[in-house]
Amino acid sequence: MQRRHTSETPKQPLRALKKNQTDLSAWRKEGRADPPKSKQNDQSPQNQENDSKEDCLEHALSYLEKAQGKISLKKSSTLQKHLSTVESIALERGLPPEAFDVLLKVALSGKLADAVNTRLLKSLIPASVIPEGSVVSAVSWLCVGKCSDNIQLLFLRWLITVFDFIDHKEQIHALYGFFFSFLQDEKMCPFVCHLLYLLTRKENVKPFRIRRLLDLQSKMGMQSHLQALLSLYKLFCPELVTITLPGKTKTYFKNSEGPWKAAINIIRRRNQKNSPVYLLLPLGTAQPPSRKRKWNNQLTLPASSTNQYYFKEEKCDLYSTNETFPVEQLQTFAQLLENIHRLEFPSQMGSILTNPLLLHYMNCVKDESIYLRLYYWMGQALQEECAWYVTDKEQHEEFKAFLETVYKSECFLQEGFASCEEFLYKNLPLWDGFCCRSQILRLLSWIPLSSFSEMKSHLYDPLAQLFFTSSLYFKCSVLESLRELLQNWLNWHVVHLDSEDDSEAHSLNTTLSGQVNMVAELVHFVGWMSTAALHLENNSSLLMYFILDFYETVCDMYLKYDLPLLILPPAGVFYPALLSMDSVNLNQLCYIMYRYRTNLVAAKENEQSKKKILQFKFSSQTYQEYNQYLTAMVGCLWTSSVFQKDTHPQGLCMDDELLRKTTVQEFKNSFNIVYHPAMMGYAVFFMKQAWPDDTTFNFSLIKGKRWNWYLEYLYAQGLSGLKLFIESSINRISQASHSKA
């Protein structure tokens, strides 16, 4: 195979390319534009230093390209000098695009010792992009067979690591069959599978390739890299891959990033701070990319002239049905609608997360191959960049930004990512509850429905340990996250309720009975935690607000979300809320009990109706417990009989002898909506308005017509929950009291 030269990598010295540099090259120079001729003699020391480094790099590349024979690294000081120059510049600022053609040729031609070639490959750190022609030319050297197996392996690892930095990939896609032939090498097979996984399109799936992979699997056993490629083939052509493959694997491929990733991160962070051009490169987003290699590597149109010509040429054939539509050209929603049937997703799957148009595409076209690619990439990225495994503060901030992007994508798609769920399950036991708290808790809210045994061991147990040993504010944050989790589950149920395709529900073990059980376990778990937390935090009003906010969603599950389930709050939550010193919490409890009543009445009417046979019926225990709570609330807010008539086992019923010891006069009539601790403030202000000259604050005056005036006063203060409860549950008692007066 002859070596090809492309317009991206012309065989010219670096000096000659200076005048034709693109914006990316300018970014490599940290935003420094070439000075006008009139000012070239008045250069700053920094510019002179840059020119000096460019001269050194040019001399080093020229020497390496002309070097002949097996030059000994130890005996040749010149070779040592130029090799060190390449390494130092690569580590400091990255190599320009035009340097890769020379260095790849030298490293893979085998004319130098393996020790030198290894150092050259390890120094191939891009400052901006890597020309596709350089990679194709380098691959052609593999046909010659002059480089050792170790060098070929190192080249493949480098190619996988920098895959997203290659400016175009059409010619590389054309080499798919060539790379496939390397699968026979046992050492190279894992990395070849990884590369093929990134390159595979539907047209690459052929019967002979599937047979070859199955033969390899029979010889090597079920290897994760072979399973990954077969899974992708099966998604593209399920009729060709008929074997049953295991479920998703957490890690398909070995880490192949070697020494390049850390160096790329450092260079990108440095250039991001200093370069004005860098901020202009991404299309369709206003925020600058961070160091992440893939997740925010935005789809860009490189600014070279050949790429501009390529863009115009493709644009002429924009609506051809036989050609795929380059995702780089997707700029508007109208383009998405017109080309949705022939859109080809990028190899760098992470770019999807920051592109709303591609997220729209994922919502419209349920392509499993996209989700599989995203699953693999995101699982690897989350685990490798996990913030509590690193000590760099800057990496912590970037990991936070990454989690934020993942969360926003989940909100956009209205579903969680499976790889994100696995990451949370694996790392929650190791989490300190502080690092990336806001992001982790928000990601928890998008965990999909799954079996209780799995949720208990991976989510509930580690979360409970953190919950009970953390601050009040952390407890409130966890409750808010679990409320959003419940909300998302219920929304998912509503969307899939009338779906004709039950395959997805069956695969997720989310039949109606399964959903009811899993939602019930979540509600019971929150009730158990809330009861204990109120004891630990001395019935904090703030904590009670978040607990009642959760039950405000629970009380409407039957009518609002059509889920045949109603679970009342435990006594350890209900009674502290009923006796709360905060009128906001009492008002919220009244609204919750009003909605419970509405849902239970509707359920009872449906049960008595003969029009349809209900699959689920509420137990009599649910109605009994509600009536006990209702009796306690009426006695506490209206009849002052809560201490005599409360029948709940954990209720407020007390003996008269014990009540007399409180020295409260007329205790049988002294605990109602006037005397309640949360309402006495309103009673005081009402009396000031009704009897401005009375300073004794005789609450017994609030009766008869004044009782009704007092109620109107409370309603005017915004206690709408109290109003709904009284009008729905105490209406007859209210009328009777009014008629007697």
Side-chain angles (χ1 to χ4, degrees), residues 308-558:
Q308 292 170 358
Y309 174 75
Y310 168 79
F311 178 84
K312 293 176 182 177
E313 186 179 32
E314 288 287 339
K315 198 170 183 179
C316 294
D317 195 27
L318 200 61
Y319 301 105
S320 169
T321 57
N322 298 324
E323 299 293 331
T324 58
F325 184 79
V327 73
E328 293 90 345
Q329 298 180 19
L330 186 64
Q331 299 295 321
T332 64
F333 192 74
Q335 281 183 321
L336 174 65
L337 295 178
E338 292 166 356
N339 300 280
I340 195 169
H341 59 290
R342 58 193 186 95
L343 190 66
E344 182 180 359
F345 259 52
S347 300
Q348 57 271 39
M349 294 302 294
S351 59
I352 297 172
L353 299 182
T354 51
N355 192 317
L357 295 176
L358 296 183
L359 291 175
H360 273 302
Y361 178 86
M362 287 184 66
N363 254 344
C364 297
V365 182
K366 297 299 183 181
D367 187 346
E368 286 297 322
S369 65
I370 297 174
Y371 284 92
L372 183 62
R373 286 175 179 267
L374 198 59
Y375 166 82
Y376 155 68
W377 168 82
M378 189 180 294
Q380 190 177 42
L382 283 168
Q383 194 59 36
E384 291 176 0
E385 303 302 325
C386 187
W388 43 91
Y389 294 146
V390 297
T391 57
D392 188 355
K393 183 178 180 181
E394 193 167 357
Q395 289 184 3
H396 277 231
E397 296 301 320
E398 291 174 359
F399 185 64
K400 279 185 181 180
F402 177 42
L403 294 181
E404 196 73 32
T405 302
V406 173
Y407 170 72
K408 290 178 180 178
S409 300
E410 290 182 330
C411 292
F412 189 98
L413 296 171
Q414 287 295 292
E415 63 178 316
F417 296 118
S419 52
C420 191
E421 176 192 6
E422 291 178 358
F423 166 76
L424 292 172
Y425 284 170
K426 183 177 180 180
N427 290 281
L428 272 180
L430 307 175
W431 185 41
D432 60 3
F434 177 76
C435 181
C436 306
R437 175 188 295 179
S438 175
Q439 292 75 22
I440 294 295
L441 290 179
R442 283 193 287 183
L443 289 175
L444 283 176
S445 65
W446 282 109
I447 290 179
L449 284 160
S450 55
S451 64
F452 172 69
S453 59
E454 185 177 0
M455 296 284 287
K456 184 179 186 304
S457 59
H458 293 104
L459 176 63
Y460 295 156
D461 289 349
L463 199 58
Q465 292 180 6
L466 286 169
F467 183 84
F468 292 128
T469 56
S470 298
S471 66
L472 169 65
Y473 300 103
F474 180 82
K475 292 182 176 69
C476 295
S477 299
V478 170
L479 290 170
E480 175 66 14
S481 177
L482 294 177
R483 184 196 66 80
E484 292 178 358
L485 175 63
L486 175 63
Q487 185 84 57
N488 291 331
W489 283 4
L490 295 174
N491 289 337
W492 185 93
H493 166 72
V494 171
V495 171
H496 294 80
L497 189 62
D498 300 323
S499 175
E500 296 180 359
D501 182 11
D502 295 332
S503 60
E504 182 181 2
H506 179 72
S507 64
L508 292 175
N509 190 24
T510 51
T511 59
L512 184 57
S513 60
Q515 293 176 42
V516 170
N517 291 335
M518 285 180 281
V519 171
E521 293 296 346
L522 173 61
V523 175
H524 287 311
F525 172 69
V526 173
W528 168 72
M529 283 206 314
S530 300
T531 301
L534 287 171
H535 284 287
L536 292 173
E537 301 295 342
N538 297 320
N539 295 326
S540 164
S541 296
L542 178 63
L543 181 64
M544 180 63 75
Y545 171 81
F546 283 92
I547 294 172
L548 293 179
D549 202 32
F550 178 84
Y551 279 98
E552 193 169 323
T553 302
V554 174
C555 68
D556 250 342
M557 290 191 298
Y558 181 73

Side-chain angles (χ1 to χ4, degrees), residues 53-180:
K53 289 182 179 179
E54 290 175 14
D55 290 338
C56 293
L57 180 60
E58 178 186 349
H59 292 316
L61 294 178
S62 177
Y63 172 83
L64 291 171
E65 189 174 24
K66 296 176 181 178
Q68 298 293 334
K70 299 284 185 179
I71 304 175
S72 174
L73 182 60
K74 295 181 179 180
K75 297 180 180 179
S76 176
S77 58
T78 306
L79 178 59
Q80 292 180 9
K81 172 188 172 184
H82 291 307
L83 189 57
S84 299
T85 298
V86 173
E87 290 175 330
S88 62
I89 293 178
L91 291 173
E92 180 182 350
R93 58 200 304 185
L95 295 176
E98 51 271 16
F100 288 92
D101 191 55
V102 175
L103 294 179
L104 285 171
K105 172 189 172 182
V106 173
L108 299 176
S109 62
K111 64 180 182 179
L112 297 177
D114 273 5
V116 178
N117 297 333
T118 299
R119 290 176 61 178
L120 286 176
L121 287 175
K122 289 183 177 181
S123 67
L124 294 179
I125 302 165
S128 55
V129 297
I130 299 173
E132 181 187 30
S134 299
V135 177
V136 173
S137 177
V139 172
S140 69
W141 281 101
L142 299 181
C143 302
V144 180
K146 291 187 177 181
C147 57
S148 64
D149 293 343
N150 290 335
I151 296 299
Q152 293 182 21
L153 196 63
L154 190 62
F155 170 72
L156 284 178
R157 291 175 57 196
W158 172 82
L159 186 57
I160 294 168
T161 304
V162 301
F163 188 80
D164 295 338
F165 291 89
I166 302 173
D167 54 4
H168 295 301
K169 300 183 178 67
E170 289 305 314
Q171 295 180 31
I172 299 177
H173 275 293
L175 298 173
Y176 190 93
F178 173 77
F179 289 120
F180 194 89

Side-chain angles (χ1 to χ4, degrees), residues 106-323:
V106 173
L108 299 176
S109 62
K111 64 180 182 179
L112 297 177
D114 273 5
V116 178
N117 297 333
T118 299
R119 290 176 61 178
L120 286 176
L121 287 175
K122 289 183 177 181
S123 67
L124 294 179
I125 302 165
S128 55
V129 297
I130 299 173
E132 181 187 30
S134 299
V135 177
V136 173
S137 177
V139 172
S140 69
W141 281 101
L142 299 181
C143 302
V144 180
K146 291 187 177 181
C147 57
S148 64
D149 293 343
N150 290 335
I151 296 299
Q152 293 182 21
L153 196 63
L154 190 62
F155 170 72
L156 284 178
R157 291 175 57 196
W158 172 82
L159 186 57
I160 294 168
T161 304
V162 301
F163 188 80
D164 295 338
F165 291 89
I166 302 173
D167 54 4
H168 295 301
K169 300 183 178 67
E170 289 305 314
Q171 295 180 31
I172 299 177
H173 275 293
L175 298 173
Y176 190 93
F178 173 77
F179 289 120
F180 194 89
S181 65
F182 280 89
L183 287 175
Q184 61 188 357
D185 190 306
E186 188 172 347
K187 290 184 179 179
M188 297 180 68
C189 185
F191 301 102
V192 173
C193 284
H194 194 166
L195 182 59
L196 292 174
Y197 190 93
L198 298 174
L199 289 171
T200 298
R201 298 172 177 172
K202 187 172 183 179
E203 59 266 24
N204 299 128
V205 182
K206 305 292 183 184
F208 74 90
R209 287 180 178 147
I210 296 173
R211 288 195 297 270
R212 180 60 180 157
L213 289 175
L214 293 176
D215 289 342
L216 289 172
Q217 182 175 276
S218 63
K219 294 178 181 178
M220 301 180 182
M222 181 58 74
Q223 301 294 326
S224 60
H225 49 274
L226 295 174
Q227 178 189 336
L229 205 52
L230 281 170
S231 299
L232 192 57
Y233 280 12
K234 187 169 186 176
L235 285 175
F236 281 127
C237 300
E239 71 281 1
L240 296 180
V241 185
T242 57
I243 65 168
T244 301
L245 294 170
K248 291 178 178 177
T249 306
K250 293 184 178 180
T251 304
Y252 277 135
F253 305 110
K254 297 178 181 178
N255 189 342
S256 59
E257 291 168 338
W260 302 284
K261 180 181 176 181
I264 290 173
N265 292 339
I266 294 172
I267 292 169
R268 296 193 69 175
R269 284 201 298 266
R270 184 185 302 134
N271 291 340
Q272 181 180 354
K273 293 178 181 178
N274 301 328
S275 173
V277 178
Y278 184 80
L279 304 179
L280 303 177
L281 290 180
L283 297 178
T285 180
Q287 65 181 18
S290 77
R291 70 183 184 92
K292 276 299 299 175
R293 174 170 54 90
K294 297 177 183 177
W295 69 268
N296 61 350
N297 192 20
Q298 300 294 321
L299 300 173
T300 63
L301 288 175
S304 66
S305 59
T306 55
N307 295 335
Q308 292 170 358
Y309 174 75
Y310 168 79
F311 178 84
K312 293 176 182 177
E313 186 179 32
E314 288 287 339
K315 198 170 183 179
C316 294
D317 195 27
L318 200 61
Y319 301 105
S320 169
T321 57
N322 298 324
E323 299 293 331

Side-chain angles (χ1 to χ4, degrees), residues 625-659:
E625 188 175 15
Y626 173 79
N627 288 329
Q628 290 174 337
Y629 283 169
L630 180 62
T631 302
M633 287 193 69
V634 173
C636 187
L637 298 177
W638 201 264
T639 63
S640 299
S641 60
V642 64
F643 300 116
Q644 291 82 26
K645 296 185 177 180
D646 190 355
T647 59
H648 194 280
Q650 302 178 37
L652 301 174
C653 186
M654 301 181 190
D655 294 332
D656 288 351
E657 183 179 352
L658 181 62
L659 290 172

